[in-house]
Amino acid sequence: MTRLALCVLAGALAGCGLVGEAFVMPQTRPVGPPPQDVHARSVRVTSDAGLPLAGWYLAGPPGAPTVVLLHGVTDDRRTMLPRARLLRDAGFGVLMVDGRGHGESPRQRVTYGAREHFDATAAVEWVRRRRPNTRVGVVGISLGGAGAALAGEHLGADAVVLESVFATLEEATDSRLRRWSGPVAHTLRDILDDQSDRLLGVPVDSVAPVRSVSRLGVPVFVAGGEDDPFTPESETRRLATAARAAVWIVPGAGHEDLYRADPAGYRIHVLAFLNESLR
């Protein structure tokens, strides 16, 4: 191999290393106090190894079910405020938490559910300790939903909504790399897969919500965007089939906030599911 070829190869490998680090880069930032109209209080939820997660909590009426809201990658609990208002007005309590590496929670690598499932389980346990006689639901978006699904039987919720959740991390990586890097996507994916033990702490093929969702053991509802470039409709339907769950495909929606995309449909499908499952 010539010196030039070695330099090109070394540069490519270094570039892939940077791509891998970008995939798991923490997204921490100041969030501040909850908006006054929400009437929430700031709380701390302790995840695995004592990791403190920042959150907001609305207690809800006595005996009311509580819904845990888990945001997507690069977001924080503020993106869940519209859902929190919807649920509050429908008579639910709400807990919103910043997942590890996001918002005001500790700066940790993003692992796409490989460790975030501890955060989902900890949030449900936090509610159960404070309201032991009420039912608890989970709404997880993308990364947040992957964490909930990967928790399986340990999640401890009474109902789960999964929005825009990938079937396997391999497919999620593929779809993003195809969009960003075109014909070299497959090669980049192979190199990233080889780094998964270092980046995620587990093999990439073990991060597969489609294989763990059936272990939740509670009613599940699955939703996704019709035009989602990162979690295509076929993956959403596979996840629903694996969960034996009803599915809602939002017309014209991409990988975006499904509540914002179709508020009326969200009430008809998601809010109705939570009312039926938790009351």
Side-chain angles (χ1 to χ4, degrees), residues 155-213:
L155 182 63
D158 297 300
V160 178
V161 176
L162 303 175
E163 301 182 30
S164 307
V165 176
F166 56 84
T168 70
L169 184 53
E170 291 171 299
E171 291 169 280
T173 305
D174 256 350
S175 62
R176 284 156 176 79
L177 288 176
R178 279 198 306 272
R179 190 171 179 85
W180 299 332
S181 57
V184 299
H186 186 71
T187 300
L188 287 175
R189 212 289 303 277
D190 288 344
I191 295 173
L192 287 175
D193 286 355
D194 290 340
Q195 300 181 45
S196 67
D197 284 351
R198 177 179 65 84
L199 295 172
L200 307 178
V202 297
V204 67
D205 59 6
S206 69
V207 185
V210 75
R211 294 200 293 271
S212 59
V213 69

Side-chain angles (χ1 to χ4, degrees), residues 20 51 59 71 102-103 109 121 155 167 169 238 250 263:
L51 195 71
H71 62 76
H102 288 79
R109 279 180 170 172
T121 301
L155 182 63
L169 184 53
R238 280 170 50 213
V250 184

Side-chain angles (χ1 to χ4, degrees), residues 49-178:
L51 195 71
L53 307 177
W56 290 331
Y57 176 56
L58 297 72
T66 299
V67 179
V68 174
L69 299 178
L70 304 172
H71 62 76
V73 69
T74 76
D75 290 329
D76 58 59
R77 62 191 186 272
R78 290 174 296 185
T79 62
M80 308 306 285
L81 281 167
R83 286 171 179 76
R85 294 184 177 101
L86 171 69
L87 292 164
R88 175 202 61 193
D89 293 346
F92 291 91
V94 179
L95 172 65
M96 297 164 274
V97 294
D98 290 338
R100 66 185 62 214
H102 288 79
E104 293 178 330
S105 290
R107 190 173 176 83
Q108 301 271 311
R109 279 180 170 172
V110 179
T111 66
Y112 298 92
R115 299 203 66 81
E116 286 82 359
H117 69 89
F118 292 117
D119 302 346
T121 301
V124 173
E125 289 176 348
W126 189 94
V127 174
R128 292 226 180 266
R129 285 196 300 272
R130 283 149 186 81
R131 309 208 58 171
N133 298 318
T134 62
R135 293 170 69 77
V136 182
V138 171
V139 175
I141 299 174
S142 191
L143 167 64
L150 288 161
E153 65 273 21
H154 302 294
L155 182 63
D158 297 300
V160 178
V161 176
L162 303 175
E163 301 182 30
S164 307
V165 176
F166 56 84
T168 70
L169 184 53
E170 291 171 299
E171 291 169 280
T173 305
D174 256 350
S175 62
R176 284 156 176 79
L177 288 176
R178 279 198 306 272

